[in-house]
Amino acid sequence: MELEKKISRKKPTYFREHQEALYKSLEDKHATVEVDKSDPLTTRMTLNMGPQHPATHGVLRVLMELDGEVITKCRLDTGYLHRGIEKMAENKTYQEFMPYTDRMDYISPYSNNVALCMAVERIAGIEIPERASYIRMICCELARISSHLLWLGTMIMDAGALSYFLWTFREREKIYDIFDEVTGHRFTVSHSRIGGVNNDFTPAAVEKIRKFIREFPDELKGWHKTLDRNRIFVDRNSGVGAIDHEEAIAIGLAGPSLRATGIAYDIRTFEPYLHYADMDFVVPTRTEGDNLARYYCRMEEMAESVRIIEQCFDKMPEKGPIRVDDAKKSYPSKDEVYYSMEGLIHDFMMTDTGVCPPAGAESYHAIEAPKGELGFYIQSDGTGHPWRLKINSPSFSNLQGLETILDGEMVADTVVLIGGMDPVMGDSDK
Amino acid sequence: MLAVVLLFLLPSAAVAVYAERRVSAFIQNRYGPNRVGPLGLFQPFSDVIKLFLKEDIIPEKANRFLYILAPMIPVSTAIITVAVIPFSEFVYITNLNVGVLFLLAVASLSVYGVTLAGWASNSKYSLLGGLRAAAQMISYELPMGVALASVILFASSLSVLEIVQSQELWWNVFRNPIGFVIFTIAAFAEANRAPFDLVEAEQELVGGFHTEYSSMKFGTFFLAEYMHVVVGSMLITVFFFGGYHLPFAGYWLPEMSPLWKSILDIHVFLIKTVFFAFVFIWVRWTLPRFKFNQLMRLGWTRMLPLAILNFAVIAIILYYIS
Amino acid sequence: MNTEIRDNILQDIREYLGDDLLELNMKQTYPLLLIPRKRIHDTCRFLKNTLHFAYLNEIIGADRFTSEDRFEVIYHLVSLRDRWRLFVKVLVDEEQPLLPTVSDIWKSANWNEREVYDMFGIRFEGHPDLRRIFLPEDFKYYPLRKEFPLLGVPGSLEMPNTTPDHD
Amino acid sequence: MSLDRVMGEGYFTTTVDALTKWGRSNSVWPMPMGLACCAIEMMAFAGPKYDAARFGSEVFRFSPRQSDVMIVAGWCTYKMSHAIRRIWDQMPDPKWCIAMGACASTGGMHRCYGVVQGVDNFLPVDYYISGCPPRPESVINAILKIQDKIKEQQSLKLDS
């Protein structure tokens, strides 16, 4: 035992205080699994997973105490991607800050753009044109599909079937192509603007999106066919990491993880934004609360997203402005900038000071990002920079829940559980 | 004869590596390696050259002797296994009269390599991999043995050559389908291939037992894995698919001179082996991995009782027929 | 959310807090209550148990950069039953940045309070595991305070040793 | 060397040298140090459309002992830098390093207190990829450049 202790508690060589505090906190944690201490054979091992580990989806560090292969208690250590995005926001104008939101949840950047824009629009009192909001909705739903595709691929890859990852990536490439056509970049798009969007859909882009939503349901059906009745997959996921709805609310899960426990908390219906109130869609929920339920929720959400995009195309006005025609609130169009003096001045002013919400205003706006509720709490001091901008990120909430869920599961389950929770460290670490 | 077989087996691992990369690429809508040599055929050789010339790291706290010894065991057991496999009626290294027992004994030796590697490298991930290997091998050795016992009943001999000859008319897969299924699953588990690759479990244990191994020591494990794939497919062929026999050969195949018969037999044997190697690869790239407790449950509560039942039923039927 | 339920809830809060409800800001989309530091714990318990604000969404810290009551902490609550959000604000002094924890009321307050501690140095009394969450424990500053420079303090975070044989 | 005398000056060493270079350059196994957004493009680089396997680089080994080139993809914080350096120290020679994207190369847009302004502060970087994030084509280009570098440097013959 003494030797075991010596090996597993090797002196940390960097950030000594931090490591020691972390290990101490693991020892202090109340174990939820009662293990018979009288058995001399129950030697404990502390296993460090991460920060660089194939299954931690980035740089999450999981510190766990093992009894055989069962995790008796675990601690998550985050912050390996912490760059101080909230500090940076205080030093940028609202529009300048938008590219940073791309790099928050880098699997679905469009949702983050929209979340920031809508938060700023609410605090500054800007109404966006109808066509712009439909463009935002379509792209947000595409981003949701793309995020869930990556979740599907990585989760099954973590369970051991590598090919699914590449199959889902093939579909993701199609969405990348669409974003490439619409916005000019594969995935860090920065397409949304305060007061609208940057540019309209080109006919080629519309054609590509229509083709994608025509073909995608078949692919989805194929995955359902190979996974729903796959015994190994079902056995590995059902009952794993199960949590009931009361506990889920208490530990503050968000998004599909919360909906898998039976709580239909979806901002799109909870307090509809854009034109989601006019759309006909259901919020998929399950009651089991385990990893399989999360799988079904997300899979059904992808199908719903396709339906929403179809309805958007039906209801979208054929022509119309895509940005507010008010130079105090949004960028003027490029035509105006190139051919008129006022346009140039406005463009310059927008870049220099940007939108100025009233002093002392505080406001919150959330959208339903693929991972859950993504909200921005903004405090304004009357200038073009936010005084304080707080990001309410879904991955942060989900990771916090993960710390509770992992207790009592097996080492092999950690990977599917982390995959099933689908955290993005850039989102959670801010 | 031995030299010929060795020359055949060693490159076969390289070919299996290449095949795995191309087949996986095909499954995943990719090209796979196609730049090195014609169709990328020299890719495994370039990997081996690189691995040979890489720095060899032995962890400071590792048990040096066992750490160096461990990679040799899986390779040697794979090569030893070939000793009793008949490639044709006349081409085999030796015909042991207890060949089946020999095979089982050698197969259970190979677990030492994995377990020792896991223990000796003094890493927690490796240790977990090694422990899983030990448990997995023991639980799948038993169903495999019992499935083989049901094969022996048909041949009334422990010699591998006689088992193959007993299948001249009817392959064992038709006479003993449940035994075939059990043996195939056990062979997958013995070769540590997906869905039973939780010994190396890249996503959980980084590399499992070979996490700490670098350069050619890792390369040896890598090659041993593919040798076990080849050997595993050979064993399935020999025990259940009539070895070198064409289907129902006894009924229609004319008498041939030993030379021509040998050439035909070897080709038939190779084709069957290649097919099963393909199945190994195919399964690996499409199925998720088992969890440790599921694996144990499958081994002890499903496969072992089924194998014993199968053995008993066959024994009773054979007793009444004869 | 119809106005009747909303008025009822606000009436309940007014009755419960009495004079301690320092400010009720209804100018924004969601109501913002300002309450004194000493009432935060029991108010939170009341909001959760009686008014069904079962879901604590986040805890926001902010630096007002004023000489007194420098920091503010905002609790963002959601009532899933009434489909409504509520923000509860408390002011914290710079000299004594202490608040009672609410992690015994909502488990999810755990990490959120750690985040506020990490960014502003506001300590939460009774928190089960108050460590820094993003930055290493060795870091001695609180980055979201306004006086902290954007580029950080040189040397406050160590860089790895580039000679390989360190141990 | 006697063999040299028979076959000509440096015949043996240059032949083995060429063989070594051929082997090394054609099987560059990446160690994916996926930190942030660039990691997603790195996955795309291995994915069906771009297919790193064509160049023999599809074997993503997560164990540092078995990999040749470390692709640092994403911004690197001070907290993470120690882990990266440790993994780099664990990789066996010969090894190469690619800094993928603006953040890994210079700190990029994340000019803030948490981020190391370029991983070359503590790693010997062989190739920098520009872009935020770079497209997968650029990663393929980087791998090819690394292959060129391997072909140019002497592997066995150290001097003369």
Side-chain angles (χ1 to χ4, degrees), chain C residues 34-98:
Chain C
L34 181 66
I35 58 173
R37 215 168 351 204
K38 59 179 189 295
R39 293 299 300 274
I40 184 67
H41 194 268
D42 67 301
T43 309
C44 282
R45 192 175 288 282
F46 167 75
L47 288 174
K48 186 193 174 189
N49 293 343
T50 316
L51 298 182
H52 293 273
F53 285 94
Y55 189 70
L56 174 76
N57 216 322
E58 59 176 336
I59 298 177
I60 303 155
D63 183 358
R64 306 195 312 150
F65 212 55
T66 50
S67 52
E68 59 185 37
D69 289 340
R70 179 171 164 185
F71 301 111
E72 60 190 24
V73 173
I74 304 164
Y75 297 80
H76 172 184
L77 314 175
V78 178
S79 163
L80 296 170
R81 186 189 65 171
D82 299 327
R83 299 182 156 240
W84 204 35
R85 292 172 197 279
L86 185 70
F87 290 83
V88 182
K89 189 191 270 190
V90 269
L91 298 177
V92 185
D93 203 38
E94 188 186 1
E95 300 298 317
Q96 201 187 6
L98 265 179

Side-chain angles (χ1 to χ4, degrees), chain B residues 21 47 50 54-55 210-211, chain D residues 27 58 63 66 68 93:
Chain B
R21 290 165 85 161
D47 288 345
K50 183 207 74 177
K54 243 180 131 60
E55 184 190 358
H210 61 62
T211 307
Chain D
S27 95
E58 91 269 40
S63 165
Q66 296 148 15
D68 306 298
D93 281 322

Side-chain angles (χ1 to χ4, degrees), chain A residues 293-306:
Chain A
R294 285 167 214 146
Y295 159 79
Y296 280 119
C297 274
R298 288 206 171 90
M299 291 296 268
E300 281 161 29
E301 258 177 42
M302 284 198 265
E304 292 301 322
S305 289
V306 171

Side-chain angles (χ1 to χ4, degrees), chain D:
Chain D
M1 213 172 174
S2 59
L3 197 72
D4 278 354
R5 215 170 295 143
V6 181
M7 309 294 287
E9 185 64 33
Y11 174 79
F12 178 73
T13 41
T14 44
T15 314
V16 175
D17 200 43
L19 192 67
T20 314
K21 284 178 191 167
W22 174 81
R24 276 181 186 163
S25 64
N26 281 318
S27 95
V28 185
W29 292 359
M31 158 88 214
M33 181 56 76
L35 303 174
C37 4
C38 292
I40 311 292
E41 285 298 59
M42 192 167 61
M43 291 177 195
F45 154 71
K49 195 171 169 187
Y50 297 96
D51 193 16
R54 290 176 294 156
F55 309 98
S57 303
E58 91 269 40
V59 195
F60 275 68
R61 300 305 311 183
F62 287 95
S63 165
R65 303 260 191 239
Q66 296 148 15
S67 42
D68 306 298
V69 54
M70 181 196 255
I71 305 179
V72 185
W75 62 85
C76 160
T77 60
Y78 283 94
K79 200 174 174 184
M80 189 64 199
S81 63
H82 294 265
I84 297 176
R85 179 69 207 190
R86 275 175 84 95
I87 288 176
W88 173 255
D89 287 342
Q90 284 176 29
M91 282 167 65
D93 281 322
K95 55 190 174 187
W96 295 270
C97 177
I98 296 175
M100 179 179 175
C103 303
S105 307
T106 66
M109 69 199 292
H110 293 105
R111 192 162 166 69
C112 199
Y113 59 87
V115 181
V116 181
Q117 302 295 310
V119 291
D120 44 9
N121 278 317
F122 59 92
L123 279 185
V125 179
D126 288 284
Y127 193 78
Y128 299 88
I129 311 177
S130 61
C132 188
R135 296 177 71 100
E137 290 96 329
S138 331
V139 190
I140 291 177
N141 183 41
I143 288 284
L144 292 179
K145 290 285 180 211
I146 290 284
Q147 292 191 355
D148 287 348
K149 184 166 182 171
I150 297 169
K151 281 175 194 153
E152 275 162 21
Q153 67 188 185
Q154 301 284 3
S155 61
L156 291 178
K157 240 172 81 175
L158 290 176
D159 37 37
S160 90

Side-chain angles (χ1 to χ4, degrees), chain B:
Chain B
M1 190 67 81
L2 187 66
V4 171
V5 170
L6 277 186
L7 277 179
F8 164 74
L9 186 71
L10 285 176
S12 78
V15 173
V17 173
Y18 171 76
E20 165 127 307
R21 290 165 85 161
R22 288 301 285 224
V23 171
S24 71
F26 172 71
I27 290 172
Q28 296 162 352
N29 310 330
R30 297 186 286 121
Y31 281 113
N34 62 358
R35 291 290 196 276
V36 194
L39 294 173
L41 263 171
F42 296 152
Q43 185 65 49
F45 299 103
S46 121
D47 288 345
V48 165
I49 288 174
K50 183 207 74 177
L51 284 173
F52 257 118
L53 292 162
K54 243 180 131 60
E55 184 190 358
D56 185 22
I57 295 178
I58 298 180
E60 200 183 330
K61 300 256 171 63
N63 184 324
R64 283 185 73 90
F65 175 69
L66 292 178
Y67 184 83
I68 295 168
L69 179 74
M72 302 175 192
I73 297 174
V75 173
S76 17
T77 53
I79 294 172
I80 292 172
T81 317
V82 183
V84 290
I85 291 179
F87 296 92
S88 102
E89 207 172 335
F90 311 101
V91 184
Y92 48 84
I93 297 169
T94 173
N95 181 20
L96 277 184
N97 55 0
V98 287
V100 177
L101 288 184
F102 174 80
L103 276 179
L104 284 175
V106 170
S108 50
L109 269 184
S110 70
V111 67
Y112 280 98
V114 175
T115 314
L116 286 181
W119 184 78
S121 44
N122 195 10
S123 148
K124 285 170 187 169
Y125 289 115
S126 307
L127 181 67
L128 281 176
L131 288 176
R132 285 176 176 191
Q136 176 181 333
M137 293 280 181
I138 291 167
S139 4
Y140 281 79
E141 201 74 4
L142 280 170
M144 191 184 208
V146 180
L148 275 188
S150 63
V151 171
I152 294 165
L153 288 180
F154 287 106
S156 337
S157 163
L158 282 175
S159 151
V160 181
L161 189 65
E162 281 176 42
I163 288 177
V164 175
Q165 268 160 3
S166 77
Q167 301 178 53
E168 191 170 6
L169 297 178
W170 283 87
W171 290 357
N172 272 342
V173 65
F174 304 120
R175 300 190 287 193
N176 185 5
I178 297 172
F180 163 67
V181 171
I182 291 168
F183 184 84
T184 314
I185 294 173
F188 272 84
E190 292 277 307
N192 290 332
R193 295 284 292 183
F196 301 97
D197 65 341
L198 62 177
V199 173
E200 69 177 271
E202 195 166 76
Q203 276 75 28
E204 303 149 27
L205 302 182
V206 187
F209 62 96
H210 61 62
T211 307
E212 295 290 328
Y213 279 84
S214 67
S215 89
M216 202 51 209
K217 291 204 185 70
F218 162 68
T220 319
F221 276 125
F222 200 62
L223 287 183
E225 184 185 337
Y226 290 96
M227 279 187 196
H228 276 287
V229 168
V230 175
V231 168
S233 1
M234 281 180 181
L235 290 182
I236 296 175
T237 312
V238 162
F239 288 126
F240 291 94
F241 276 79
Y244 45 78
H245 288 301
L246 283 166
F248 312 108
Y251 290 119
W252 55 271
L253 198 72
E255 281 287 320
M256 291 160 92
S257 72
L259 180 68
W260 287 110
K261 184 77 170 64
S262 293
I263 290 172
L264 178 72
D265 284 355
I266 287 175
H267 281 97
V268 170
F269 186 82
L270 279 184
I271 288 168
K272 287 177 187 172
T273 308
V274 165
F275 173 74
F276 281 104
F278 171 72
V279 172
F280 267 88
I281 293 168
W282 185 15
V283 168
R284 158 149 190 199
W285 291 100
T286 38
L287 282 188
R289 179 185 306 125
F290 277 105
K291 210 162 73 182
F292 184 64
N293 52 355
Q294 291 168 2
L295 182 89
M296 288 292 131
R297 206 182 309 136
L298 179 73
W300 290 101
T301 67
R302 305 268 162 75
M303 280 177 48
L304 188 60
L306 193 65
I308 293 172
L309 195 70
N310 181 43
F311 174 78
V313 168
I314 288 175
I316 292 166
I317 291 174
L318 283 181
Y319 178 77
Y320 279 108
I321 287 175
S322 60

Side-chain angles (χ1 to χ4, degrees), chain C:
Chain C
M1 181 74 203
N2 62 40
T3 47
E4 193 185 336
I5 302 175
R6 195 176 69 186
D7 291 345
N8 283 341
I9 291 175
L10 288 176
Q11 190 55 42
D12 284 349
I13 295 172
R14 272 197 202 98
E15 273 169 22
Y16 182 77
L17 283 168
D19 285 345
D20 280 338
L21 182 61
L22 301 178
E23 189 190 330
L24 176 61
N25 185 347
M26 295 293 289
K27 275 184 285 185
Q28 313 301 334
T29 330
Y30 310 107
L32 183 70
L33 316 176
L34 181 66
I35 58 173
R37 215 168 351 204
K38 59 179 189 295
R39 293 299 300 274
I40 184 67
H41 194 268
D42 67 301
T43 309
C44 282
R45 192 175 288 282
F46 167 75
L47 288 174
K48 186 193 174 189
N49 293 343
T50 316
L51 298 182
H52 293 273
F53 285 94
Y55 189 70
L56 174 76
N57 216 322
E58 59 176 336
I59 298 177
I60 303 155
D63 183 358
R64 306 195 312 150
F65 212 55
T66 50
S67 52
E68 59 185 37
D69 289 340
R70 179 171 164 185
F71 301 111
E72 60 190 24
V73 173
I74 304 164
Y75 297 80
H76 172 184
L77 314 175
V78 178
S79 163
L80 296 170
R81 186 189 65 171
D82 299 327
R83 299 182 156 240
W84 204 35
R85 292 172 197 279
L86 185 70
F87 290 83
V88 182
K89 189 191 270 190
V90 269
L91 298 177
V92 185
D93 203 38
E94 188 186 1
E95 300 298 317
Q96 201 187 6
L98 265 179
L99 266 187
T101 179
V102 292
S103 57
D104 51 340
I105 302 170
W106 294 283
K107 263 193 193 172
S108 55
N110 187 335
W111 278 31
N112 287 301
E113 286 180 350
R114 280 175 66 193
E115 189 192 344
V116 175
Y117 166 63
D118 192 359
M119 292 294 137
F120 295 96
I122 300 168
R123 302 191 69 89
F124 289 87
E125 274 175 303
H127 190 281
D129 180 29
L130 194 64
R131 285 177 296 126
R132 281 174 167 264
I133 188 162
F134 294 140
L135 288 154
E137 213 72 12
D138 313 52
F139 188 64
K140 296 296 173 218
Y141 304 91
Y142 300 106
L144 277 188
R145 291 186 176 187
K146 287 285 176 186
E147 79 269 10
F148 186 80
L150 175 65
L151 276 174
V153 181
S156 57
L157 284 162
E158 52 179 314
M159 196 87 109
N161 195 339
T162 44
T163 48
D165 292 317
H166 67 285
D167 208 19

